[in-house]
Amino acid sequence: MLFLNFNMYILILLLALATLALAERTVTFAWDATLNADSYTLYVNGAPIGTTTETQITVQIPDARTAVNVTGVNIAGESEPSATLIVPPAPTIPKGFRISKIVRTTTATPK
């Protein structure tokens, strides 16, 4: 018999929820504003896929390991790319696995 502690249940739940949320691979990326940027361009695997004047963008990304960067753009040109964010492929839910009850959820806000 397999015994899991409470933290392991939370981890399994988070993985399952991540799978459900990323099944279509629609992802929202957000970043801090850059001084003097009029717009931002998001790059996925080195190719530009979206431009916005906001500090976030929702895009479709491949269901595979994906490299993401953002640049600031103004009349003088485009900034160097940001640090690369690696988005892993969506995890798969094991066959027969189901979520029957959510006991507790926690939301963390980075500072």
Side-chain angles (χ1 to χ4, degrees):
M1 181 177 273
L2 179 64
F3 292 95
L4 302 174
N5 65 29
F6 181 74
N7 289 335
M8 186 58 88
Y9 282 116
I10 294 298
L11 177 60
I12 290 171
L13 174 62
L14 290 175
L15 286 173
L17 291 175
T19 300
L20 295 173
L22 295 176
E24 294 183 30
R25 300 299 287 182
T26 299
V27 181
T28 299
F29 295 98
W31 54 89
D32 292 331
T34 301
L35 187 63
N36 298 324
D38 297 323
S39 64
Y40 301 92
T41 301
L42 188 79
Y43 289 82
V44 171
N45 296 330
I49 65 160
T51 300
T52 181
T53 57
E54 303 298 321
T55 55
Q56 72 174 32
I57 190 169
T58 300
V59 294
Q60 292 280 70
I61 64 170
D63 188 13
R65 186 174 188 267
T66 305
V68 179
N69 301 85
V70 67
T71 60
V73 180
N74 65 19
I75 195 164
E78 189 171 16
S79 72
E80 290 295 316
S82 65
T84 301
L85 171 68
I86 301 296
V87 181
T92 56
I93 298 176
K95 188 173 184 172
F97 181 83
R98 66 183 177 89
I99 299 171
S100 61
K101 182 178 180 183
I102 297 176
V103 177
R104 179 177 82 178
T105 60
T106 302
T107 301
T109 303
K111 292 191 177 199

